Amino acid sequence: MSARKVARPAERGHSGGGARHGAADGEPLTGSVEDYLKAIYELEEMTGLAAATNAIAERLDIAPPSVSGMLRRLAALELLSYERYKGVSLTASGRRAALRMLRRHRVIEAYLAGELGYPWDRVHAEAERLEHAASDELIDRMAAALGHPAHDPHGAPIPTRDGTLVMVPRQMLAEQAVGSRARVAAVGDEDGELLRYVASLAIKPGTMVTVVARAPFDGPLTVEVAGKGTKAQRTHVVGSTVARAVMVDAPVKRKRST
Amino acid sequence: MSARKVARPAERGHSGGGARHGAADGEPLTGSVEDYLKAIYELEEMTGLAAATNAIAERLDIAPPSVSGMLRRLAALELLSYERYKGVSLTASGRRAALRMLRRHRVIEAYLAGELGYPWDRVHAEAERLEHAASDELIDRMAAALGHPAHDPHGAPIPTRDGTLVMVPRQMLAEQAVGSRARVAAVGDEDGELLRYVASLAIKPGTMVTVVARAPFDGPLTVEVAGKGTKAQRTHVVGSTVARAVMVDAPVKRKRST
DNA sequence: TGCAAAAGTTAGGCTCTCCTAACTAATGTG
DNA sequence: CACATTAGTTAGGAGAGCCTAACTTTTGCA
Ligand SMILES: [Mn+2]
Ligand SMILES: [Mn+2]
Ligand SMILES: [Mn+2]
Ligand SMILES: [Mn+2]
């Protein structure tokens, strides 16, 4: 008498239902769909353009044809707009879902680091799975336990529950002029090894760094990190991968400056 | 150059690989498989017999034919032994996997209740999903944060990391003789509403209850709960569903007693 | 012991997610 | 502007999970 509840597209398999198409915003998305939306949001944000199929494929480590297929489905769900051979861009409902995932991911990262002693190079992988399994209540309780933090352990801003994301202007350390000094705002969180390396240089959100020199041809950057120790101990040469992973606060633009 | 890694039966879809059959114990199981193993373990434990297809189906809220199909797969993975029309029983490797899930589930429940203020009637649903997403490291850190608890919030024993489960003999409150007094050891955790009701009677692991009367024909049980208040306030009539969900410590059997 | 009810299985489908092979559209460069 | 390169698509397939309908075993009991 327990009437199995012919679940929505929910998660595991299932069958049943008719042709869904308009995502009335309420139905639960699968973990896969959630990851696509998150990736597309980040690509749009990062490039300012429609997200390209191959870029999505690379980010998710999935073959391009699989992405093509999924994009068609996401478009049918009205989570994004899709024109063949052009890229995709999220609809309002897609963006809402993406921001929700970003919040979940970052709250989880912050909680693991703040309450369970996780090192910052391992929180990403854990959050990548938990973000799909945690209830909204759990996310809220974790955020509350931390006093509603504004940033994750890597410096990325945490969207609020209502989907607001404060976008502070940031630039890559790689783009900074020689001689300039800036505050580290964030470090890309995908590569754990890079995070461990960066931490060994005492670079983390909040540290001040000065660009001492830049080798030609997109070459290594010599930076001086503020902190303890001799100037020599605090000076390091970092490759362009690292210099592009480290984001600094954009210098404050005064109106009509020199 | 990022060589997508032709994943194992892992989770989402995928294809590829050849015919796997002997579960060398190491490969990751899908969430679905994990839930089946957990259910089968509990049914075997509870009845002392091989788990029946329909019982598994009911427990997991899945149609019996789906279970038949899965049992064939689990048998191929050597997680259980299966003879058509008879039930199934877990192999050593299946039992190991089941106990691992039981530990994860219960550690998560304990953590949610102990560190995040979850009420005991909501931890089960949350744990049911998180148990498949959490890493071993996370489970260990949660257990450590709690000082390696021996029981979950409902009184169920938590298996150790190496798969040992201390089985203290327990009996259903429903089976206790009229006049007998016993300590509540555990309460079934699946039904949140029942848990909320039971808590409202001040029944929880540790409380002492005395069976005052039993109505005929599997009827309601009148119990007196130890604690504050008048005897009338502490006396309640509970139905057989509740009386079967509440487990009490089995009376110590003295050798050759009267 | 015979047979109906209960338990369990097989057959055939469907969705979701992802894959490879092969093809087509867009692009940018001499 | 042709045309090779790159980006993206279609075609066809696979496996995990789950379903309903129809069939087969087992079992309890008159
Ligand atoms: Mn994810
Ligand atoms: Mn992060
Ligand atoms: Mn589960
Ligand atoms: Mn429990």
Side-chain angles (χ1 to χ4, degrees):
Chain A
M1 209 130 301
S2 80
R4 231 165 302 100
K5 54 218 168 263
V6 183
R8 309 279 124 195
E11 194 71 274
R12 279 91 138 239
H14 272 281
S15 78
R20 167 169 5 286
H21 62 105
D25 215 12
E27 317 101 42
L29 306 170
T30 64
S32 224
V33 166
E34 289 174 335
D35 278 342
Y36 271 88
L37 295 176
K38 199 154 51 89
I40 292 165
Y41 178 91
E42 287 169 345
L43 286 169
E44 278 193 287
E45 202 66 18
M46 171 183 318
T47 63
L49 302 163
T53 300
N54 281 4
I56 299 168
E58 181 156 1
R59 212 155 198 305
L60 295 176
D61 198 20
I62 279 172
S66 306
V67 174
S68 274
M70 179 62 97
L71 295 184
R72 209 179 316 116
R73 288 206 302 124
L74 297 181
L77 290 170
E78 283 168 37
L79 291 164
L80 48 79
S81 59
Y82 178 36
E83 209 184 330
R84 275 162 59 263
Y85 290 103
K86 317 273 193 276
V88 293
S89 50
L90 297 177
T91 60
S93 136
R95 185 159 32 254
R96 216 167 12 251
L99 281 164
R100 173 165 171 275
M101 291 316 294
L102 236 38
R103 171 175 168 76
R104 308 178 129 247
H105 184 97
R106 291 174 184 169
V107 166
I108 292 167
E109 284 190 348
Y111 188 86
L112 295 175
E115 299 289 319
L116 282 165
Y118 261 78
W120 80 337
D121 60 298
R122 273 206 294 274
V123 295
H124 179 76
E126 192 81 48
E128 199 55 60
R129 280 171 288 109
L130 293 175
E131 63 189 359
H132 312 293
S135 68
D136 286 342
E137 175 176 10
L138 178 55
I139 300 296
D140 287 345
R141 283 183 186 269
M142 290 195 287
L146 295 165
H148 301 285
H151 301 276
D152 80 5
H154 313 102
I158 299 178
T160 59
R161 218 175 19 225
D162 59 300
T164 311
L165 180 54
V166 197
M167 279 301 286
V168 182
R170 289 175 173 178
Q171 298 174 349
M172 289 192 271
L173 175 59
E175 290 166 345
Q176 301 309 298
V178 171
S180 68
R181 184 177 154 86
R183 196 189 74 98
V184 173
V187 182
D189 69 353
E190 313 247 321
D191 186 337
E193 238 186 308
L194 188 146
L195 285 171
R196 243 171 294 126
Y197 170 64
V198 163
S200 78
L201 308 182
I203 292 177
K204 56 177 186 297
T207 37
M208 300 299 300
V209 293
T210 308
V211 179
V212 175
R214 168 182 288 112
F217 301 114
D218 194 50
L221 221 60
T222 305
V223 295
E224 189 190 316
V225 181
K228 288 170 290 201
T230 66
K231 183 185 268 199
Q233 288 170 333
R234 293 183 286 100
T235 300
H236 308 285
V237 181
V238 300
S240 65
T241 303
V242 170
R244 271 184 279 109
V246 176
M247 305 297 289
V248 299
D249 285 329
V252 187
K253 280 198 198 94
R254 271 151 302 185
K255 289 171 190 164
R256 240 176 313 175
S257 75
T258 54
Chain B
M1 208 130 301
S2 82
R4 230 165 304 100
K5 51 220 173 270
V6 185
R8 309 281 124 194
E11 195 69 277
R12 280 94 135 230
H14 274 282
S15 77
R20 170 167 3 287
H21 62 106
D25 214 9
E27 317 99 43
L29 306 170
T30 64
S32 223
V33 166
E34 290 174 335
D35 280 342
Y36 272 88
L37 294 176
K38 199 154 51 88
I40 292 165
Y41 178 92
E42 287 169 346
L43 286 169
E44 278 192 288
E45 204 65 18
M46 172 184 316
T47 62
L49 301 164
T53 298
N54 281 4
I56 299 169
E58 180 156 359
R59 211 154 198 308
L60 296 176
D61 197 21
I62 279 172
S66 307
V67 174
S68 275
M70 179 62 99
L71 295 184
R72 210 178 316 114
R73 288 205 301 123
L74 296 182
L77 290 169
E78 283 167 37
L79 291 164
L80 48 77
S81 59
Y82 178 37
E83 209 182 332
R84 276 161 57 262
Y85 291 103
K86 317 278 194 274
V88 293
S89 49
L90 297 177
T91 60
S93 136
R95 184 158 34 252
R96 219 171 5 252
L99 281 164
R100 173 167 170 274
M101 291 316 293
L102 236 38
R103 170 176 169 76
R104 310 178 127 248
H105 185 98
R106 291 173 185 170
V107 165
I108 292 168
E109 283 189 348
Y111 188 85
L112 294 175
E115 298 290 318
L116 282 165
Y118 262 77
W120 81 335
D121 59 300
R122 274 205 296 274
V123 295
H124 179 76
E126 192 80 50
E128 199 54 61
R129 281 171 287 108
L130 292 175
E131 63 189 358
H132 312 293
S135 68
D136 286 342
E137 175 176 9
L138 178 54
I139 299 297
D140 287 344
R141 283 182 187 271
M142 290 194 286
L146 295 165
H148 302 284
H151 301 276
D152 80 5
H154 313 101
I158 299 179
T160 59
R161 220 175 19 225
D162 59 299
T164 312
L165 180 55
V166 198
M167 280 299 286
V168 182
R170 290 173 173 178
Q171 298 175 349
M172 291 191 271
L173 175 59
E175 291 166 342
Q176 300 309 297
V178 172
S180 68
R181 181 178 156 83
R183 196 190 73 101
V184 172
V187 183
D189 69 355
E190 314 246 323
D191 187 336
E193 238 187 307
L194 187 144
L195 285 171
R196 241 171 296 126
Y197 170 64
V198 163
S200 78
L201 308 182
I203 292 178
K204 57 179 185 297
T207 33
M208 299 299 300
V209 292
T210 307
V211 179
V212 175
R214 166 183 289 113
F217 300 114
D218 194 51
L221 219 61
T222 304
V223 295
E224 187 190 319
V225 181
K228 286 171 294 205
T230 66
K231 182 184 270 202
Q233 287 169 332
R234 295 184 285 101
T235 300
H236 308 283
V237 180
V238 299
S240 65
T241 302
V242 170
R244 272 184 280 109
V246 175
M247 305 298 289
V248 300
D249 284 329
V252 187
K253 280 198 197 93
R254 271 152 300 183
K255 290 172 190 162
R256 241 174 312 175
S257 74
T258 54

